[in-house]
Amino acid sequence: MQHEVNTPKSSTRRLATVSLIFMAVGFVASLPFKENAWIFWLQSGFEAGLVGGIADWFAITALFRHPLGLKIPHTNLLPKNRERVIESIVQMLEKDLLNKESIVEKLRHMTLADRFIKLLRSLVLVPAFRSTVTELLIGILRKLPRASIIKAADERIVETIRAYPAKKLADRLIDLNDERRLDELAIDQLLGYGQKLLQDPVIRDQIGRLAYQAMIDQEKNTFLRVTAKTVQKVYSEERLSLVIQSVLLSVIQDMKHVHHPNRLAIIDHIRRNLAQLAQDDVRLGKIDAWKMQEIERIDLEPILDRAYTSGIAELETYFISDAFWEQRALPLMNQALDEWEHHPTFKDESNRWMKDQLVRFVDQNHARIGGLVRENLNRFDTETLIHMIEDKVGNDLQWIRVNGAICGFFIGLILGGVKLFFA
């Protein structure tokens, strides 16, 4: 393949070839000078290096293919023994490297719960985990059955209103009024609203016109007619509006004081009527009948639909915000992990359960390891397997050729020196 030209494996292959060529050139170049003792000594080294390099090249090539394409016996070993090699790999994985008993024994001595808790503690701090959980939560929200939820809520509300008796409602209203002073809050709200209206110039002038017109219309009542004419001589319509506004605002301001007699009288009247209502079966019955009648007319689905849309939008915004993680999600997760870690029995039980599940999984699927390896290896043709092996160990195989040439060279030098010594 073209991209292998500059890889370390190709460089080593070139080095092995260069070493073999160097030995061959050295041997041929030394032949004419074999009468010289030193040249003879070097020739022995080149000769042995050439033989060693060729022998190692032949041995390495014979593993994968026929050297020079010649079908020499005991060559092309891997293709001839493909099935046996695959079965040997499978057996080695199943019985030695991934022995089922050793895996199970290793699992039984592991504290899986502690490791899992530690993993979760580090995982919740990873931004990618936050974004994934946020997307998951938003996805769940968007996939909720909107129509079914609204219909169920509508039916539940209607059912609750129908089943809630007016007597219980009156009693609850009395309790709430005692707890939260609803009557006083209602009076304050009404007084504030009235004060705001009276301070509006348009409303003030309209009240003055109505009062002025009412005095003019009193023709039959002599006393009121005389009073009206007297007032008309003293006050103009605009001035009468200011006087009435001032009087009414003064009354409202007085009514805001919690101990004002008129305020106390109104509050007392409200409370006595509430107490009487709770004991008045006739009026309670009318309220129940009115409730049953009106609940059939009220269509809650549009209201619930708007509430649902608004609620989902608010939840999505909240899930995306940092406040959700910093104030809710992370404290809740850490609390759950703390309780898991320090629970007297749950951690041991979960640890035992995880081990049992893993042991069961290994027991059920261990036999599939060999089958999976065998299936994956059989998917490749012989040439592809050879290429994969050469790709993984080719660098070391080429160094065998280099080392063979070098070692042969030095051994040849030694043997040549021995020959010279005894010559």
Side-chain angles (χ1 to χ4, degrees):
M1 300 176 69
Q2 293 181 354
H3 71 276
E4 292 182 348
V5 172
N6 296 320
T7 62
K9 297 181 180 63
S10 298
S11 300
T12 308
R13 186 188 297 273
R14 285 198 301 271
L15 179 61
T17 303
V18 169
S19 66
L20 187 61
I21 293 174
F22 178 77
M23 297 300 170
V25 170
F27 174 72
V28 173
S30 63
L31 286 176
F33 309 99
K34 61 181 180 179
E35 300 299 332
N36 185 295
W38 286 101
I39 298 298
F40 175 78
W41 181 61
L42 286 174
Q43 184 189 48
S44 299
F46 288 129
E47 181 181 6
L50 180 61
V51 172
I54 293 175
D56 285 341
W57 167 83
F58 183 90
I60 292 169
T61 305
L63 291 173
F64 306 108
R65 54 185 64 85
H66 295 296
L68 301 176
L70 301 175
K71 295 185 178 181
I72 303 171
H74 305 294
T75 59
N76 198 29
L77 298 180
L78 181 60
K80 287 182 178 178
N81 298 276
R82 173 191 172 97
E83 295 300 326
R84 187 164 61 181
V85 171
I86 291 177
E87 288 302 319
S88 298
I89 294 174
V90 171
Q91 293 297 321
M92 179 180 64
L93 285 172
E94 288 184 341
K95 296 183 178 180
D96 297 323
L97 299 179
L98 297 176
N99 180 272
K100 182 172 69 174
E101 288 72 20
S102 63
I103 295 175
V104 172
E105 186 64 22
K106 183 69 174 178
L107 287 174
R108 294 195 181 280
H109 288 85
M110 293 174 64
T111 54
L112 296 178
D114 287 333
R115 297 189 180 191
F116 193 63
I117 292 172
K118 184 178 179 180
L119 174 64
L120 290 177
R121 288 192 186 281
S122 60
L123 187 62
V124 297
L125 300 176
V126 177
F129 173 79
R130 295 189 182 188
S131 61
T132 302
V133 173
T134 301
E135 291 177 4
L136 178 63
L137 291 174
I138 292 176
I140 292 174
L141 284 178
R142 292 176 178 175
K143 290 182 179 180
L144 291 175
R146 180 192 191 96
S148 300
I149 293 175
I150 292 175
K151 183 179 179 182
D154 185 19
E155 293 175 351
R156 183 62 178 170
I157 292 173
V158 170
E159 180 183 347
T160 302
I161 294 175
R162 285 176 177 171
Y164 205 85
K167 166 67 175 173
K168 191 173 181 180
L169 181 63
D171 292 336
R172 180 57 181 159
L173 184 58
I174 292 173
D175 293 338
L176 284 175
N177 189 59
D178 292 340
E179 294 171 6
R180 304 181 184 179
R181 303 295 182 183
L182 298 180
D183 48 6
E184 296 187 22
L185 291 175
I187 290 175
D188 288 333
Q189 289 292 327
L190 289 173
L191 292 174
Y193 182 70
Q195 187 177 35
K196 186 176 180 181
L197 284 177
L198 289 172
Q199 289 172 345
D200 186 345
V202 176
I203 301 297
R204 178 199 63 198
D205 294 342
Q206 188 174 4
I207 292 174
R209 283 195 298 272
L210 291 174
Y212 206 80
Q213 187 63 40
M215 287 187 295
I216 293 174
D217 293 340
Q218 298 301 320
E219 296 292 340
K220 296 181 180 180
N221 191 313
T222 305
F223 175 75
L224 290 176
R225 186 172 64 251
V226 174
T227 303
K229 288 182 179 181
T230 304
V231 171
Q232 289 172 6
K233 291 179 181 179
V234 179
Y235 297 99
S236 64
E237 182 178 315
E238 182 180 355
R239 189 176 179 189
L240 181 62
S241 298
L242 293 173
V243 171
I244 295 175
Q245 180 194 43
S246 176
V247 171
L248 293 177
L249 287 175
S250 177
V251 171
I252 289 174
Q253 192 63 37
D254 291 340
M255 290 280 290
K256 285 185 175 182
H257 294 94
V258 294
H259 299 297
H260 193 275
N262 293 336
R263 178 190 180 97
L264 294 176
I266 293 173
I267 292 174
D268 181 65
H269 179 74
I270 292 173
R271 292 178 180 177
R272 281 190 289 104
N273 274 274
L274 282 176
Q276 292 174 2
L277 175 62
Q279 306 300 324
D280 193 336
D281 294 335
V282 176
R283 283 196 292 173
L284 292 175
K286 291 180 179 180
I287 292 174
D288 280 327
W290 172 84
K291 178 184 64 176
M292 293 298 182
Q293 181 181 359
E294 292 300 320
I295 197 62
E296 297 294 336
R297 300 178 182 177
I298 299 175
D299 185 9
L300 295 176
E301 288 195 10
I303 301 173
L304 293 175
D305 185 74
R306 290 193 297 271
Y308 182 89
T309 302
S310 175
I312 293 296
E314 290 181 6
L315 281 175
E316 289 185 9
T317 303
Y318 181 58
F319 287 157
I320 296 172
S321 67
D322 293 335
F324 169 69
W325 283 98
E326 301 300 332
Q327 301 175 11
R328 295 292 181 184
L330 288 180
L332 185 62
M333 291 179 183
N334 287 326
Q335 181 182 356
L337 291 175
D338 289 339
E339 292 178 357
W340 183 3
E341 187 173 16
H342 298 99
H343 195 279
T345 59
F346 181 70
K347 188 173 77 169
D348 293 337
E349 293 174 355
S350 60
N351 188 61
R352 190 180 307 110
W353 180 83
M354 284 189 283
K355 288 181 180 180
D356 291 341
Q357 297 303 311
L358 286 176
V359 169
R360 186 178 295 110
F361 177 81
V362 171
D363 187 61
Q364 293 175 350
N365 296 278
H366 184 266
R368 298 181 183 178
I369 296 176
L372 182 61
V373 173
R374 186 184 296 106
E375 179 183 345
N376 287 332
L377 290 176
N378 284 327
R379 287 170 50 196
F380 303 109
D381 56 34
T382 302
E383 285 301 321
T384 304
L385 283 176
I386 291 174
H387 175 74
M388 290 173 61
I389 295 174
E390 287 183 323
D391 183 63
K392 300 302 180 185
V393 300
N395 196 31
D396 294 326
L397 292 177
Q398 298 307 318
W399 273 109
I400 292 175
R401 292 175 57 192
V402 176
N403 293 334
I406 295 173
C407 290
F409 177 77
F410 284 109
I411 292 172
L413 291 178
I414 294 172
L415 294 177
V418 172
K419 287 181 182 180
L420 289 173
F421 182 77
F422 290 100

